[in-house]
Amino acid sequence: MTDCCQRHQKVPETRTWTSFLVEITTDSAIMAGHTPSPHKPRRKAKGAGGSSNLGHSISVESSGRAPSFPLAAFFWPARGSASQWEILPIILMVVGLFRWAAGLWGYSGFQKPPMFGDYEAQRHWMEITTHLPITQWYFHDLQWWGLDYPPLTAYHSWLCGKIGSLIDPSWFALYKSRGVHDPNLKIFMRGTVMVSEYLIYIPAVVIFVRRFSRLSGVTSWSASISLAAILMQPGNILIDHIHFQYNTVMLGFVVASMSSMLAGRYLWSAVFFVAALGFKQMALYYAFPVFAFLLGSCFSPKINVLRFIRIALVTVIAFAILLLPFVLGAYKEWKQGIRSKPAPLPLFQGLAAYLDPKAFYYPIVEQLVQMVHRVFPFARGLFEDKVANFWCALNVVVKIKHLPAELLQRMSLIATLASIIPPNLILLARPRKDLLPLAFATTAWGFFLFSYQVHEKSVLLPLAPMTLLLAGSQGLSKEIRAWVGFANILGCWTMFPLLQRVDLRVPYAVLTLLWAYLLGLPPTSLSVYTLDGQASFKKIVTALIHGAFYLAMAMWHVLELNLQPPSDKPDLWVVANVGVGAAGFALCYLWCFSRLVLQSDILPQALAGKRSKAKTN
C-alpha cells in the first residue's frame, strides 16, 4: 500500500486541462490505496492526438476519487500545497485548541484530600523549589509529595514557580498553599503545560516529521496529515493536559534526540537525550537504542574513534552541567559551615563509613546519593499498582506478589534484558536512520512489559515512537494505521481506571473516539481492515485479532458501567483490564520487533551467508 498521495507539483501553464485532470485523478487513486502501475507507459507520438506535454499517458481507476479516511479528507483541499509549512500554522492552532478545551475538565486530585493527586505534586514542587535552598529540594518533607524526579524537572518547577509567584504569591506560599484549588491557579498550571509543550515537544515533533518523511520519500501533504495525527495522540492529551503532568517535555527531548540522529548531529543527539533523562528517569526506556545507534554510527560504515570520544565527552559534560547547581550548593554550605539534617539514607549508610564527614566532598556525595535514592525508589517493590504489564497479568494466574523482593528484581532484570537486547543488537549492527522509531518502540515495549516499577502512564513511552511511524514510508497505509491505532486506543483503555478515579470518563471517550474517527479506526470505522483486491492471510489474521480485542474492550466498558464486581473480588474489572491490556501490548511488541527484523534486512543476509557456507562445504 502506498502513501496516501504522491508529491504534487505546480501545474505548468502549458499543460492541457486533460493532462491536469488525469494527474489529479491519479493522486485520488493513490490516496484511496490503488497503486498505479510501476511500468512507465510509452510516450505518445507527437501529433497522434492529444498533447505530448504530460510525457506519458496514465490509466486511472474511476473508483479512487476520494480520500480513504477523515483526517486525509480534512487536508484534501491542501493536497496541491508545495510545502507542509504552508498549513503548519493551522495544524498548530487546531491541536492547541483541542488541548486547551481538554484542560477545561478537572484534574488529578481535584478536591480529593488528603494528598490531592499529581496536580498538587507538581504545584508543591514549584512551592519548595522557589522557597528552599537547592540543597534541601530532595530532603524536604518527603511524606508530602517529596521531589522524586531528576534535576531538570526541579529547575522547570523553579522557573514555573517564580513566574507564578509574580502573578499571585499565595499560590506557592510555603506550607500554606497545600491543596489549593484556586481557578486562576488552574489556568496558570494548564498554561505551563501548554507553553512547555509548544517550546519543546511540538517543535521537536515538527522537525522530526519533516526529516523522517523526507528520508522515507513521503510527500509534504502526507507528512502534514501524519503530523496532525501525531499531535492529536489522545494519550498525551489525556495525561498531560487533563490528568496533569509534563510527560511531553521529556518526550520532546527524546524526539529531538531522534531528530538529531536523522540529521547526523550525533553530539546534539547525546545532549538532548541527557536532557530527557534529566527531566524524567523514565527516559531510560530509550537508553539502549540511543546507545546502540550512536555506538553503531561510530563503527559503521567505518570506524570513527574520534566521533566516539566526542560523543562520550559531550555526554559527560552534559550530565555535569545538569548536576552542577547541586554540587555548588552543597559545597557552598560546607564552606559556610551549614550542616543539613537529612532523612536517613539507605543507600548512603553503607557508604558513609568510608567517607570523612569533615571533607568538602562529603555533602556533595550525600546530595547526589539522596538524589539517586529519590529518583530510583527500588524499595517500593515490583507491584506499585495494577498495570497492564507482564508481571501484574502473571500475578492473576500465579501469585508471585509474595515472592522475595530480591528474586522479583532478578526476574524482572532477566526478562527485561531478554526483551530489549535483540532489537538493540539489530540497531547496533544496522545503525540505519529509518529503523529508529521501530527500535525505540520495541525497546520501550520491552521495558513497559517486563521492567521494575511500571506505572499506567508509562505506556506513553512506547506509544510515542510507535506513533511516529505514521510519518515514515507507508506510514498512512492501512497496516500501519491499524497497528498504531490499535496500540494507542488500547493504551488509553488501560489508563481508563486511572482516569475514572478522577472523573474523566467523558474526555477519555471524546478524545479516544475522535482520534479513532480521524484515522478511520474502530470502533468508528472498519476501513483499515477492508481487503483491497486479493485477500491476504496476514490481513485476515490481523483483522480477527484486533477485532477480538476491540470487542473485549467494548464489552468490558459495558460490564464495568452496569455491573458491580463481587464483594470478594472488588478489583475484578481492573484485573480484567490488566490481562487484556498486557496481551495486546505483547502483540504490539512482537509486531514492532518483527517489522524491525524484516526492515533491517538482517535475516536474509544471515540466511544467504549460511547458504554460501553450505555450498562451500
Side-chain angles (χ1 to χ4, degrees):
M1 176 122 181
T2 61
D3 292 311
C4 66
C5 74
Q6 300 294 326
R7 185 177 299 277
H8 293 266
Q9 303 292 339
K10 292 184 178 179
V11 182
E13 293 180 0
T14 55
R15 286 186 179 179
T16 64
W17 279 106
T18 304
S19 65
F20 176 64
L21 290 174
V22 166
E23 182 176 345
I24 292 299
T25 312
T26 303
D27 289 332
S28 302
I30 296 170
M31 180 61 213
H34 300 286
T35 307
S37 171
H39 302 289
K40 186 176 181 180
R42 296 178 181 176
R43 289 179 178 270
K44 285 187 177 182
K46 291 183 179 181
S51 172
S52 62
N53 292 328
L54 184 59
H56 58 272
S57 62
I58 303 173
S59 62
V60 179
E61 296 185 40
S62 60
S63 61
R65 293 183 179 273
S68 55
F69 54 97
L71 188 59
F74 294 151
F75 282 86
W76 191 249
R79 64 192 181 279
S81 174
S83 169
Q84 68 171 346
W85 301 110
E86 295 179 10
I87 56 177
L88 178 62
I90 299 175
I91 295 175
L92 297 185
M93 285 189 291
V94 171
V95 300
L97 178 63
F98 273 97
R99 280 160 165 74
W100 193 254
L104 296 176
W105 285 88
Y107 47 80
S108 170
F110 177 65
Q111 295 181 350
K112 292 185 182 295
M115 297 300 291
F116 299 103
D118 286 349
Y119 176 90
E120 168 60 20
Q122 301 292 340
R123 189 215 58 80
H124 178 63
W125 295 344
M126 297 177 192
E127 171 192 337
I128 64 174
T129 54
T130 53
H131 286 88
L132 299 176
I134 193 171
T135 53
Q136 294 298 310
W137 289 0
Y138 284 97
F139 292 93
H140 177 74
D141 195 1
L142 302 181
Q143 299 303 314
W144 184 271
W145 296 116
L147 182 61
D148 57 2
Y149 278 165
L152 197 54
T153 286
Y155 304 148
H156 177 262
S157 298
W158 174 84
L159 179 61
C160 293
K162 285 293 185 182
I163 296 173
S165 295
L166 295 176
I167 302 172
D168 189 341
S170 67
W171 291 345
F172 308 108
L174 191 63
Y175 299 115
K176 300 178 182 179
S177 57
R178 295 183 178 183
V180 62
H181 292 296
D182 185 344
N184 292 326
L185 173 61
K186 175 186 175 182
I187 295 174
F188 172 77
M189 296 290 281
R190 296 293 196 202
T192 61
V193 179
M194 286 278 291
V195 172
S196 299
E197 194 168 271
Y198 269 79
L199 287 176
I200 298 174
Y201 176 73
I202 289 181
V205 172
V206 169
I207 295 172
F208 176 88
V209 168
R210 185 187 186 194
R211 289 174 177 170
F212 193 56
S213 61
R214 285 182 175 180
L215 175 70
S216 306
V218 176
T219 65
S220 61
W221 185 65
S222 296
S224 297
I225 298 173
S226 303
L227 176 64
I230 294 167
L231 294 181
M232 285 294 292
Q233 192 178 354
N236 289 337
I237 300 177
L238 285 168
I239 295 302
D240 279 19
H241 294 274
I242 304 180
H243 188 273
F244 201 88
Q245 277 203 346
Y246 297 94
N247 293 291
T248 49
V249 176
M250 178 268 293
L251 293 175
F253 284 127
V254 172
V255 175
S257 179
M258 296 173 67
S259 183
S260 298
M261 293 176 190
L262 295 181
R265 299 171 181 172
Y266 301 129
L267 300 183
W268 277 110
S269 175
V271 171
F272 283 129
F273 188 67
V274 170
L277 283 172
F279 197 86
K280 282 200 173 186
Q281 61 270 37
M282 291 188 300
L284 284 171
Y285 278 35
Y286 306 120
F288 273 72
V290 170
F291 175 80
F293 181 84
L294 293 181
L295 182 61
S297 68
C298 295
F299 294 95
S300 178
K302 62 179 181 180
I303 298 177
N304 191 333
V305 178
L306 181 59
R307 176 184 291 174
F308 176 81
I309 295 174
R310 291 170 65 193
I311 291 174
L313 186 61
V314 165
T315 302
V316 172
I317 292 173
F319 272 115
I321 293 174
L322 195 64
L323 298 174
L324 184 60
F326 288 90
V327 173
L328 293 178
Y331 178 75
K332 181 180 178 181
E333 287 192 352
W334 176 81
K335 286 277 290 183
Q336 295 175 346
I338 300 173
R339 183 71 182 94
S340 61
K341 296 180 180 180
L345 303 173
L347 291 178
F348 190 68
Q349 288 174 351
L351 185 64
Y354 302 95
L355 303 176
D356 181 4
K358 298 181 180 180
F360 76 93
Y361 60 78
Y362 187 89
I364 297 175
V365 174
E366 183 181 53
Q367 183 71 228
L368 297 180
V369 170
Q370 174 71 355
M371 185 185 301
V372 172
H373 172 65
R374 292 296 301 160
V375 171
F376 299 102
F378 290 107
R380 293 183 187 175
L382 184 63
F383 299 93
E384 185 179 11
D385 206 344
K386 294 180 175 64
V387 184
N389 69 348
F390 173 79
W391 304 113
C392 291
L394 178 63
N395 190 64
V396 176
V397 182
V398 181
K399 298 300 179 184
I400 63 171
K401 191 171 185 178
H402 303 295
L403 293 177
E406 295 78 9
L407 177 60
L408 290 175
Q409 290 179 12
R410 293 193 192 99
M411 291 168 57
S412 175
L413 176 63
I414 293 171
T416 303
L417 291 177
S419 66
I420 66 176
I421 286 178
N424 286 285
L425 287 178
I426 293 175
L427 189 62
L428 181 63
R430 300 278 191 277
R432 284 173 22 198
K433 298 173 181 179
D434 61 308
L435 300 179
L436 285 173
L438 282 171
F440 274 64
T442 307
T443 306
W445 279 124
F447 266 103
F448 180 82
L449 286 168
F450 301 107
S451 66
Y452 204 76
Q453 274 295 302
V454 176
H455 194 278
E456 303 102 310
K457 297 187 287 285
S458 300
V459 75
L460 298 177
L461 278 82
L463 289 179
M466 190 172 179
T467 307
L468 293 177
L469 292 173
L470 294 173
S473 177
Q474 310 293 315
L476 297 177
S477 66
K478 290 184 177 180
E479 180 189 0
I480 294 182
R481 276 193 294 126
W483 277 100
V484 171
F486 171 73
N488 275 277
I489 293 172
L490 182 65
C492 292
W493 181 75
T494 59
M495 290 189 291
F496 177 78
L498 171 71
L499 297 170
Q500 75 159 346
R501 288 200 292 267
V502 289
D503 305 319
L504 298 178
R505 288 175 176 266
V506 174
Y508 156 80
V510 170
L511 289 171
T512 306
L513 292 176
L514 173 64
W515 197 75
Y517 165 75
L518 291 175
L519 292 181
L521 301 168
T524 63
S525 173
L526 299 177
S527 61
V528 290
Y529 301 110
T530 56
L531 301 176
D532 298 325
Q534 187 176 2
S536 166
F537 176 75
K538 180 181 177 182
K539 290 182 179 179
I540 294 174
V541 172
T542 299
L544 291 175
I545 292 175
H546 287 188
F549 276 90
Y550 281 119
L551 181 61
M553 286 187 275
M555 290 297 299
W556 183 90
H557 273 301
V558 172
L559 294 174
E560 182 271 337
L561 185 62
N562 294 284
L563 293 179
Q564 289 292 330
S567 57
D568 59 332
K569 297 179 180 179
D571 296 328
L572 176 62
W573 303 131
V574 178
V575 169
N577 184 289
V578 165
V580 174
F585 293 150
L587 290 176
C588 292
Y589 168 84
L590 293 175
W591 181 81
C592 290
F593 181 59
S594 62
R595 194 171 182 88
L596 175 64
V597 171
L598 294 175
Q599 193 168 318
S600 67
D601 297 326
I602 199 164
L603 271 187
Q605 292 189 15
L607 293 174
K610 290 182 179 179
R611 289 171 185 166
S612 62
K613 288 182 180 179
K615 288 181 180 179
T616 305
N617 293 334

